[in-house]
Amino acid sequence: MLKASVIGATGYAGVELCRILLTHPQANIHRLSSVSFTGKAISEVYPALRGLCDERLVSEDEAIDGADVVFASLPAGLSEPIARKCLQAGALFIDLGADFRLHDPDTYESWYQKKYEDPELHGQAVYALPELFREEIEGARLIGNPGCYPTSVALGLAPALKGGLIGSEDLIIDAKSGATGAGRGLSQTTHFCECNEGFAPYKVACHRHTPEIEQTLSILAGEPAAVTFVPHLLPVSRGIVSTIYAKLKGGASLPEVRQRYLDFYESAPFVRVLPEGEVSNLRNVRCSNYCDISLHLDAHTGRLIVVSAIDNMVKGAAGQAVQNMNIALGLDETAGLLFVPPAI
């Protein structure tokens, strides 16, 4: 059995990793780390785990020692030294934060106000969206796990961009996320009284996921991509719905576009292209590693409308990280991830 450690285990993505790893057929939880709760059992922080996982929270170095794979779910700027220690120890390192997502150091500094301190380390990192970069992930030792919004957008647009059905300019992304996307730290906008029965955009045209979205779409299109990205906060705990608008080229019909998507994702176990006339709904992917995609055509404007729904904590974070672990280490890609979304 693989020994898997989680650093930042008491954050939302970290505890979701614990939940997934507890039922993984080929990996066991080795150690869990948390700066804020060192010495406590994780079940004291999250009582839902009582009797299922009562691991004591230890230091980062203790978590790395003896581990085969280390997941880190930390704020930007903290993962580089941990990654170096993991590589030196021979462990696979999977970063759920932003430190290994962006290829260009200047872009990272501009958006995160932090610098890459170890350029050689970044040269080894793989941006790991499994459905798009599977070959690069196989055998990788340092993985940058994609962000939640970029995952929903890239999966929603990949077949159309790679197939030349749409252009890479003037892409409009109207996305909505549950409150867990902001992390466990409390802020005024995620306070219950502010969020409940409210609905509003935030970080309009300046969200940190913008360059990551454009980076992936540019790779897919083979030319620079430009997006208008506006996220919104939904008064729900989890889930993302991205509604994406793009000008359709070449006069393709909706059935032809849908067939392109079906062919593109034929071997992708966690992407579900919905039947014509259905609309993706975050309810149907909640607590799962699935991405549901529905396709629509505005015949009046010639715009393709793609609706992409994921659970931001699973496919947008912890589930995708485990999917990447499975691929990198040669395991069954679906191992530990075949959750059935709750029907109600």
Side-chain angles (χ1 to χ4, degrees):
M1 295 286 282
L2 292 167
K3 293 181 286 185
S5 290
V6 180
I7 296 175
T10 55
Y12 287 147
V15 75
E16 195 76 357
L17 274 166
C18 297
R19 182 178 77 90
I20 294 170
L21 290 170
L22 281 171
T23 60
H24 197 287
Q26 293 167 285
N28 284 332
I29 291 176
H30 177 53
R31 292 185 182 125
L32 305 176
S33 174
S34 169
V35 171
S36 302
F37 296 97
T38 300
K40 287 190 173 184
I42 193 166
S43 54
E44 293 180 66
V45 184
Y46 289 100
L49 296 177
R50 186 173 289 121
L52 302 171
C53 183
D54 297 306
E55 290 285 333
R56 293 279 165 187
L57 294 155
V58 300
S59 69
E60 292 173 357
D61 287 345
E62 289 176 284
I64 295 169
D65 184 36
D68 297 307
V69 55
V70 176
F71 299 91
S73 182
L74 299 170
L78 299 179
S79 292
E80 277 185 321
I82 299 171
R84 177 60 71 185
K85 289 178 183 178
C86 288
L87 293 185
Q88 290 172 345
L92 167 64
F93 181 71
I94 301 177
D95 185 28
L96 278 74
D99 288 1
F100 295 98
R101 293 175 183 166
L102 296 177
H103 300 157
D104 180 53
D106 293 333
T107 302
Y108 178 78
E109 184 176 357
S110 174
W111 285 85
Y112 289 90
Q113 290 74 57
K114 301 178 187 297
K115 291 187 175 183
Y116 287 167
E117 303 293 344
D118 192 340
E120 190 274 334
L121 193 64
H122 287 270
Q124 302 179 52
V126 172
Y127 182 78
L129 213 170
E131 290 77 11
L132 306 182
F133 306 117
R134 186 179 313 277
E135 291 183 4
E136 292 91 329
I137 298 166
E138 293 172 354
R141 304 304 298 172
L142 173 51
I143 284 174
N145 208 59
C148 50
Y149 283 126
T151 294
S152 68
V153 173
L155 292 178
L157 287 180
L161 274 176
K162 292 207 74 170
L165 299 176
I166 60 173
S168 59
E169 71 288 340
D170 194 27
L171 298 169
I172 299 172
I173 303 157
D174 181 345
K176 288 93 173 171
S177 173
T180 50
R184 198 165 184 234
L186 188 62
S187 67
Q188 182 173 339
T189 54
T190 56
H191 192 285
F192 177 81
C193 294
E194 300 285 342
C195 183
N196 185 50
E197 298 186 24
F199 178 63
Y202 67 98
K203 296 183 181 177
V204 177
C206 63
H207 194 281
R208 286 177 169 181
H209 282 176
T210 302
E212 184 184 344
I213 291 170
E214 291 186 337
Q215 175 180 275
T216 303
L217 298 187
S218 297
I219 293 170
L220 293 169
E223 61 184 17
V227 304
T228 298
F229 172 51
V230 181
H232 301 66
L233 178 62
L234 285 172
V236 299
S237 295
R238 56 201 298 161
I240 281 179
V241 173
S242 293
T243 304
I244 312 163
Y245 304 86
K247 197 72 174 179
L248 195 60
K249 298 196 305 185
S253 67
L254 188 58
E256 289 171 335
V257 172
R258 189 170 172 278
Q259 189 59 51
R260 290 281 189 97
Y261 274 71
L262 289 170
D263 292 344
F264 190 92
Y265 288 123
E266 184 180 11
S267 301
F270 294 113
V271 178
R272 304 188 296 194
V273 181
L274 302 188
E276 190 170 338
E278 293 192 17
V279 181
S280 300
N281 187 324
L282 64 80
R283 175 188 292 276
N284 300 326
V285 295
R286 193 172 183 271
C287 298
S288 82
N289 201 51
Y290 291 104
C291 173
D292 278 2
I293 296 172
S294 63
L295 303 164
H296 315 270
L297 178 63
D298 184 340
H300 177 65
T301 62
R303 283 191 180 274
L304 176 66
I305 303 171
V306 181
V307 184
S308 174
I310 64 171
D311 185 306
N312 59 303
M313 288 289 99
V314 189
K315 185 56 177 167
Q320 184 146 264
V322 171
Q323 188 179 356
N324 281 322
M325 176 192 76
N326 291 342
I327 295 171
L329 297 179
L331 308 179
D332 180 346
E333 181 178 348
T334 66
L337 294 170
L338 293 175
F339 313 122
V340 178
I344 56 173

